[in-house]
C-alpha cells in the first residue's frame, strides 16, 4: 500500500466518482448508491491512514514531520510542482473531510429531489478540492484547489438553496474571490522574490519559507494571505457573508460550510501564513487577538437575538471559530493544539446541529424558534440528540468542544492573560444563547400544534455516530492530540 500514490487517490477518487455519475445523471436510484460508495471508500482510506500513522511515522519521509509525500514536476517553466504531503494535522483534516461529506450525503438523501445527479457530482468535485487544500505543499497547487472547492458551493447554494439564495451566492462569491485574488498576487510576488534571491523558480512551501524578506514586504504579503484566510474563517468584521450563506444553503451545504470550508481558512493560516511570514505574524498578533475576541463577543450577542435556528447556529460558528483564531494567534504549543482540535470538534458538533435543524425543517417547513416548543414530549429522540449537541457546542465538560476551548484558553493565558480572560466571556455568552435555544425549542410549552414524526432509522444511525464522536473526542482526546503533537512542535519551532 505504501507504494501506491495514496494521497493522489485521496484527492482525485471523489472527482472520478463524480465523472462516473454522468451515465446515471438522471437516475437518483443509481446515483445515490454510487455517491455513497465513493464517499464511504474515501472515508475508509482516511481511517486506514489514521490506523497506520505510527508505522508511516517510523519511515523516513522526504520532508521532516510528514507521514507521506508525493512530489513530481508539473509546469517546469514556472517552477510549479505537484507536491502533496500528509502530516498529523492534515490527516485530522482529511478524516474530518471524508466524514463530513458522508454526513452531507446522508442528510440530503431525501431532502434533495431535483437534479440529484448534478447535486451529487458537485459534492464529489468539492470533496476533491477540499482534500487538495489540506494536502497541497506547492502554493500554486494549493491555490488551484482553493478555487476549485468554491465553484461547487456556488452552485449548491444558487440551485438548491432557499430564500434569497441568489443574493447569498453572489455575496459568498464576491467575498471569497476578493480575498483569493489578493492571495494570488502575494503568491506570485513571493515566487518572484525567491527567484530573485536564489535564482530558482519555485512555488514549493519549504523553499519559500527560506526566502529573506524585509519587514515591510512581509507585512504586505502576510496581509494579503491573512485577508484571504480571515474571510474564510470568518473573522469579524469580514463575517457578513456567512450567516446569509448558511441560512439560504441546503442542509448539506451548511454541513460542508461549517464543517470544512471555514477550516480551510484556519488551516491555511497555520500551514502557510505563519511559517512564511513569521515576523509579520508576530507584529500583527495584537490585531489578531482583537478581531478574534470581538468576533466571539459580537457573534454571541447577535446569536442570542436570532429567531431562525439556522441563522443562530451560523453566528455561533463565528464565535467558535474565534477560539481557533485565538489559539493560532498565541502560536504556543498547547494553544495551537487546542485550535486544531477545536477545528475538528466544531466540524462535528456544528455539522450535527445543522443536520438536526434540517431534519426539523423537512417536517415542520419552518426554522423559526417561536414555532416550536414541547418537542421533548413529541419527538424525544430528536430532542435528546439536539440537547446533547447543544451542550457540546456550549462547551460542557466531557463533550468535545470543552477540550479544544480549554486548551486554547490555557495555552493563550501563558502568552496573554488579558486575551484569555476576555475570550472566556464568550463561553458564558455561548451558554446563555444555547440554553435559550434549547429551552424554547425543546422544553417550552408548545405554541403551535405541529404533526411531527420522530427520527427514522437513517437519521437515528447518523446522529448516533455523531453523538459517539462527540463523547469520544470529549472523554478521550489523547489519540488525536498524539497525532498532531509532532507537527505542532515543528510549526512552533519554526515560527514566533
Amino acid at each position: 500500500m505504501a507504494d501506491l500514490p495514496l494521497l493522489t487517490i485521496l484527492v482525485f477518487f471523489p472527482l472520478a466518482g463524480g465523472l462516473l455519475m454522468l451515465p446515471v445523471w438522471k437516475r437518483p436510484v443509481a446515483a445515490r448508491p454510487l455517491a455513497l460508495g465513493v464517499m464511504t471508500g474515501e472515508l475508509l482510506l482516511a481511517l486506514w491512514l489514521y490506523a497506520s500513522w505510527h508505522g508511516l511515522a517510523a519511515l523516513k519521509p522526504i520532508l521532516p514531520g510528514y507521514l507521506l509525500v508525493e512530489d513530481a514536476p508539473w509546469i517546469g517553466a514556472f517552477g510549479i510542482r505537484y507536491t502533496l504531503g500528509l502530516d498529523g494535522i492534515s490527516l485530522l483534516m482529511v478524516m474530518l473531510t471524508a466524514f463530513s461529506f458522508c454526513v452531507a450525503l446522508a442528510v440530503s438523501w431525501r431532502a434533495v429531489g431535483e437534479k440529484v445527479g448534478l447535486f451529487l457530482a458537485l459534492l464529489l468535485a468539492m470533496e476533491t478540492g477540499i482534500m487538495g487544500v489540506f494536502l497541497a505543499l506547492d502554493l500554486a497547487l494549493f491555490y488551484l484547489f482553493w478555487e476549485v472547492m468554491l465553484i461547487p458551493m456556488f452552485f449548491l447554494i444558487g440551485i438548491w438553496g432557499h430564500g434569497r439564495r441568489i443574493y447569498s451566492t453572489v455575496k459568498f462569491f464576491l467575498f471569497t474571490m476578493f480575498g483569493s485574488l489578493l492571495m494570488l498576487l502575494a503568491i506570485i510576488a513571493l515566487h518572484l522574490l525567491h527567484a530573485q534571491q536564489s535564482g530558482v523558480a519555485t512555488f514549493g512551501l519549504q523553499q519559500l519559507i527560506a526566502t529573506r524578506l524585509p519587514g515591510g514586504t512581509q507585512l504586505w504579503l502576510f496581509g494579503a494571505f491573512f485577508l484571504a484566510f480571515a474571510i474564510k474563517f470568518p473573522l469579524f468584521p469580514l463575517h457578513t457573508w456567512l450567516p446569509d450563506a448558511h441560512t439560504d444553503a441546503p442542509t448539506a451545504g451548511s454541513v460542508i460550510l461549517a464543517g470544512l470550508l471555514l477550516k480551510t481558512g484556519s488551516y491555511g493560516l497555520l500551514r502557510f501564513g505563519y511559517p512564511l511570514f513569521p515576523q509579520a505574524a508576530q507584529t500583527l498578533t495584537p490585531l489578531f487577538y482583537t478581531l478574534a475576541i470581538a468576533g466571539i463577543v459580537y457573534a454571541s450577542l447577535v446569536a442570542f437575538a436570532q429567531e431562525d435556528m439556522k441563522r443562530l447556529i451560523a453566528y455561533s460558528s463565528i464565535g467558535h471559530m474565534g477560539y481557533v483564531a485565538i489559539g493560532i494567534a498565541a502560536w504556543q504549543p498547547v494553544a495551537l493544539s487546542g485550535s486544531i482540535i477545536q477545528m475538528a470538534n466544531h466540524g462535528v458538533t456544528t455539522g450535527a446541529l445543522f443536520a438536526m435543524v434540517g431534519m426539523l425543517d423537512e417536517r415542520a417547513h419552518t426554522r423559526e424558534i417561536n414555532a416550536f416548543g414541547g418537542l421533548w414530549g413529541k419527538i424525544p429522540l430528536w430532542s435528546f440528540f439536539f440537547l446533547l449537541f447543544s451542550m457540546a457546542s456550549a462547551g460542557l465538560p466531557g463533550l468535545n468542544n470543552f477540550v479544544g476551548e480549554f486548551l486554547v484558553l490555557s495555552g493563550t493565558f501563558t502568552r496573554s492573560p488579558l486575551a484569555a480572560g476576555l475570550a472566556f466571556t464568550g463561553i458564558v455568552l455561548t451558554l446563555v444563547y444555547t440554553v435559550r435555544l434549547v429551552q424554547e425549542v425543546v422544553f417550552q410549552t408548545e405554541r403551535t400544534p405541529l404533526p411531527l414524526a420522530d427520527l427514522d432509522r437513517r437519521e437515528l444511525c447518523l446522529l448516533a455516530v455523531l453523538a459517539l464522536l462527540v463523547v469520544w473526542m470529549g472523554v478521550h482526546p489523547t489519540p488525536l492530540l498524539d497525532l498532531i503533537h509532532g507537527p505542532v512542535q515543528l510549526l512552533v519551532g519554526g515560527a514566533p
Side-chain angles (χ1 to χ4, degrees), residues 153 245-259 310 350-351 354:
M153 182 59 73
H246 267 311
T247 302
D248 297 326
T251 302
S254 292
V255 169
I256 300 303
L257 264 175
K310 205 173 184 186
T350 306
F354 275 120

Side-chain angles (χ1 to χ4, degrees), residues 270-281:
L270 66 89
R271 176 67 76 197
F272 298 99
Y274 269 65
L276 284 169
F277 315 106
Q279 284 76 37

Side-chain angles (χ1 to χ4, degrees), residues 157 232 310:
I157 300 174
K232 196 64 93 279
K310 205 173 184 186

Side-chain angles (χ1 to χ4, degrees), residues 232-274:
K232 196 64 93 279
F233 247 93
L235 284 179
F236 175 88
L238 303 170
H239 65 282
T240 57
W241 64 270
L242 182 67
D244 292 323
H246 267 311
T247 302
D248 297 326
T251 302
S254 292
V255 169
I256 300 303
L257 264 175
L260 298 172
L261 285 195
L262 308 190
K263 310 308 178 296
T264 61
S266 51
Y267 177 85
L269 195 59
L270 66 89
R271 176 67 76 197
F272 298 99
Y274 269 65

Side-chain angles (χ1 to χ4, degrees), residues 135 147 283 301 310 324 356 417 456 460:
L135 293 172
E147 294 301 317
T283 301
L301 293 174
K310 205 173 184 186
V324 175
M356 294 203 71
D456 59 30
L460 181 59

